[in-house]
Amino acid sequence: MKVEMMDDLDDTTICDSVNSLVEGCRLPVRMKGTDDWPLAELISIKESPGFRLYYVHYVDFNKRLDEWVTEDLLDTRKVHFPRRDCVINTGVSTPKRAPVGTGGQSVSRPSSPVTGELVNGSAVLAAALQKRINNNKKRKGLSLENEDSQDAPPPAQQPALPGPRQSGSMVAHHDDVITRMKNVDMIELGKHRIKPWYFAPYPQEMVGIPCIYICEYCLKYRKSRKCLERHMVKCNLKHPPGNEIYRKEHISFFEIDGRKNKNYAQNLCLLAKLFLDHKTLYYDTDPFLFYVMTVFDNRGFHIVGYFSKEKESTEDYNVACILTMPPYQRKGYGKLLIEFSYELSKFEGKTGSPEKPLSDLGLLSYRSYWAQTIMEILLSMKPVGDNEKPQITINEICESTSIKKEDVISTLQNLNLINYYKGQYIITLNKEILESHRKAMEVRLIRIDPKYLHWTPKDWGKRAKW
């Protein structure tokens, strides 16, 4: 097996004993349940009676696969030891998949392309050039956040009045050793037992117990099922707090104000952190609205997923964090959450985009949603006259879908729909694309029906306080 050399490590060394291993070493480790031996980094080592356990992060794999392994799963024939002349950097996490069109950087949002141009005109080219220019720009004003919020103190020359946040709740950040390790073994939420994927800052007394028991209605956490049963006797909620703004058949959406329902919002953020690697905001919920999707039965309204949204976004984000709970994934609920967020944007008369970075699963869901939504628009177009090709502008696509311009353009590029022909940029829909879209729409059985959305957007910019 060939193991690539790392720039920040000494030459590969044959390790005479597992006792020589230290935190920060990299070596092949057999991934449980497979016959693969990917390169992994030792994050932590702990002694157990009679044996040692090693917490490993598989390099180039998502952190949700991190796990404790025994020494028989370690290949000590080739070990990369940390340099002696530098601090062991155990805070390097898996390289995050870059958002579409960012060139590996977290960048400021590209300016809009020239308006009014047809898709088969020069708007796409102008936007592509603009995006390339922006690829090398780094987002400004981001502060690292490891605890409660990311709000920076207001500049001295500015009055300390409430205003738009300069950043949201999900940012690229450096983790320490503690936050890189899963600290909760299991949670029980309603009838589901779920194994968490990532670290979450639950109180210390909740960490280390075999299972955390969570009320599926108010999301309060308890140490034992007996404690949860006593809580359920007193809990008067059968649905999330806040206003029910959508209900069709068994699916409902509730809008929760992070200031008015602070305890619920904080508990929701803690729960979400178990399954969102990049989420860094847990307690500063005042500037956010939370939209919780539930399914209804004779026992009550059961949480399926949620997304949060800044009351005021300087970046035109219509989603801050988004999560479908693991028991409900791969059932169409993720796209339903995304579709609902864009329906809210339509009611507001705005275009929007999710906050970056997206998780790997989130990026796949958004790319799929954008592709299907844009394809629906293109297939519904009619020619203006006889022997004429249908024409549509980038602006028209954005206005009808509320999808941000750069997301529309990147989706068209990813689908390879844009071609240069006789001096013009045109969109070409081949049979393969059409067949793929048809199959995708056949399995997308649940959709948002705007007639069932009863919601009036608020202008938070006119409010001195939330």
Side-chain angles (χ1 to χ4, degrees):
M1 175 181 291
K2 182 180 179 181
V3 180
E4 293 185 359
M5 301 303 299
M6 311 305 293
D7 292 339
D8 58 340
L9 300 173
D10 279 336
D11 290 343
T12 302
T13 307
I14 296 178
C15 185
D16 58 350
S17 169
V18 291
N19 294 327
S20 303
L21 297 176
V22 295
E23 294 174 359
C25 285
R26 295 190 177 190
L27 72 166
V29 177
R30 181 176 179 179
M31 187 179 290
K32 289 182 181 178
T34 73
D35 293 325
D36 298 329
W37 292 78
L39 186 67
E41 178 185 352
L42 296 187
I43 305 301
S44 182
I45 304 173
K46 71 177 180 181
E47 299 286 347
S48 294
F51 60 94
R52 273 185 173 186
L53 287 175
Y54 302 84
Y55 193 84
V56 298
H57 164 65
Y58 298 103
V59 179
D60 296 329
F61 286 82
N62 192 281
K63 282 173 58 180
R64 61 173 168 269
L65 298 176
D66 294 3
E67 58 186 345
W68 289 101
V69 300
T70 51
E71 63 182 57
D72 59 299
L73 298 179
L74 307 178
D75 183 357
T76 58
R77 292 174 297 176
K78 290 186 177 181
V79 179
H80 301 289
F81 282 94
R83 283 182 176 174
R84 298 183 182 89
D85 59 347
C86 66
V87 178
I88 297 175
N89 183 8
T90 56
V92 178
S93 57
T94 301
K96 299 174 177 58
R97 193 185 301 267
V100 178
T102 61
Q105 298 285 348
S106 180
V107 299
S108 57
R109 307 191 68 79
S111 59
S112 301
V114 180
T115 59
E117 292 288 341
L118 298 178
V119 169
N120 60 356
S122 60
V124 172
L125 179 60
L129 291 174
Q130 182 63 48
K131 185 172 66 173
R132 179 173 295 181
I133 293 172
N134 280 277
N135 277 347
N136 297 321
K137 295 181 181 179
K138 294 182 179 180
R139 171 173 292 170
K140 299 179 180 180
L142 288 182
S143 59
L144 298 182
E145 175 188 38
N146 293 321
E147 294 180 2
D148 295 350
S149 80
Q150 191 184 325
D151 285 332
Q157 69 272 20
Q158 307 243 353
L161 295 175
R165 295 163 60 84
Q166 296 305 308
S167 53
S169 61
M170 293 177 64
V171 297
H173 61 285
H174 296 287
D175 303 317
D176 55 29
V177 174
I178 299 299
T179 60
R180 292 189 70 194
M181 298 170 57
K182 301 172 191 175
N183 60 335
V184 177
D185 292 329
M186 190 75 66
I187 65 168
E188 185 171 296
L189 182 68
K191 63 181 181 180
H192 301 289
R193 277 209 160 200
I194 312 170
K195 192 170 181 63
W197 296 351
Y198 306 110
F199 168 90
Y202 277 94
Q204 190 60 39
E205 62 269 19
M206 305 301 296
V207 176
I209 61 178
C211 182
I212 296 178
Y213 297 83
I214 301 175
C215 173
E216 62 177 329
Y217 302 115
C218 71
L219 303 184
K220 288 182 179 178
Y221 42 86
R222 294 292 183 264
K223 290 184 178 180
S224 67
R225 183 178 281 112
K226 191 68 176 178
C227 292
L228 179 64
E229 290 171 353
R230 289 199 297 266
H231 163 79
M232 295 297 290
V233 172
K234 297 180 287 185
C235 184
N236 56 6
L237 284 180
K238 290 298 179 184
H239 58 76
N243 299 322
E244 185 181 13
I245 61 174
Y246 179 93
R247 183 191 293 190
K248 183 180 181 183
E249 298 174 353
H250 64 290
I251 294 176
S252 292
F253 279 84
F254 292 83
E255 181 184 62
I256 292 99
D257 189 319
R259 182 182 68 83
K260 295 179 180 178
N261 298 283
K262 188 181 292 289
N263 288 337
Y264 181 90
Q266 291 176 348
N267 288 334
L268 178 61
C269 289
L270 283 176
L271 175 63
K273 181 61 188 76
L274 293 169
F275 308 102
L276 292 175
D277 185 23
H278 300 304
K279 184 174 178 60
T280 58
L281 184 143
Y282 323 118
Y283 304 114
D284 182 17
T285 61
D286 287 18
F288 289 88
L289 297 168
F290 298 82
Y291 296 90
V292 179
M293 180 168 66
T294 65
V295 292
F296 174 79
D297 62 19
N298 56 5
R299 294 187 298 115
F301 294 79
H302 312 285
I303 181 171
V304 171
Y306 90 102
F307 66 88
S308 58
K309 178 180 180 179
E310 290 179 278
K311 295 173 180 175
E312 283 190 280
S313 174
T314 58
E315 302 279 0
D316 292 330
Y317 292 138
N318 62 357
V319 165
C321 297
I322 186 168
L323 171 69
T324 305
M325 297 300 296
Y328 297 96
Q329 291 179 358
R330 302 186 66 83
K331 297 181 179 179
Y333 291 114
K335 279 198 182 69
L336 205 66
L337 281 167
I338 296 173
E339 186 177 5
F340 191 80
S341 71
Y342 280 105
E343 286 299 330
L344 296 185
S345 294
K346 291 177 185 178
F347 269 62
E348 293 176 312
K350 300 177 180 178
T351 59
S353 185
E355 183 180 328
K356 312 302 189 300
L358 289 166
S359 67
D360 55 347
L361 298 178
L363 181 60
L364 290 174
S365 295
Y366 265 96
R367 280 179 172 171
S368 178
Y369 172 81
W370 289 331
Q372 292 175 14
T373 303
I374 294 171
M375 282 295 296
E376 282 185 307
I377 295 297
L378 297 179
L379 292 176
S380 67
M381 293 166 50
K382 302 296 181 184
V384 177
D386 296 336
N387 300 322
E388 291 286 337
K389 297 292 185 182
Q391 292 187 339
I392 189 170
T393 65
I394 294 288
N395 280 344
E396 287 171 344
I397 295 177
C398 295
E399 289 170 4
S400 59
T401 63
S402 281
I403 299 175
K404 203 76 173 171
K405 282 185 178 180
E406 49 264 41
D407 295 331
V408 171
I409 294 169
S410 66
T411 301
L412 293 173
Q413 292 171 334
N414 288 333
L415 292 174
N416 292 321
L417 297 182
I418 299 178
N419 294 282
Y420 189 75
Y421 180 71
K422 291 185 178 180
Q424 289 186 325
Y425 287 92
I426 62 172
I427 292 178
T428 305
L429 302 179
N430 56 44
K431 291 183 179 179
E432 183 180 350
I433 289 289
L434 295 175
E435 181 64 17
S436 176
H437 176 70
R438 183 187 64 80
K439 290 180 178 179
M441 298 309 294
E442 282 180 353
V443 299
R444 192 172 164 187
L445 302 178
I446 50 177
R447 301 291 298 271
I448 294 297
D449 189 339
K451 295 194 302 289
Y452 293 86
L453 175 58
H454 304 287
W455 180 73
T456 302
K458 300 180 180 67
D459 187 357
W460 297 98
K462 295 181 179 179
R463 301 182 175 213
K465 293 183 178 181
W466 289 309

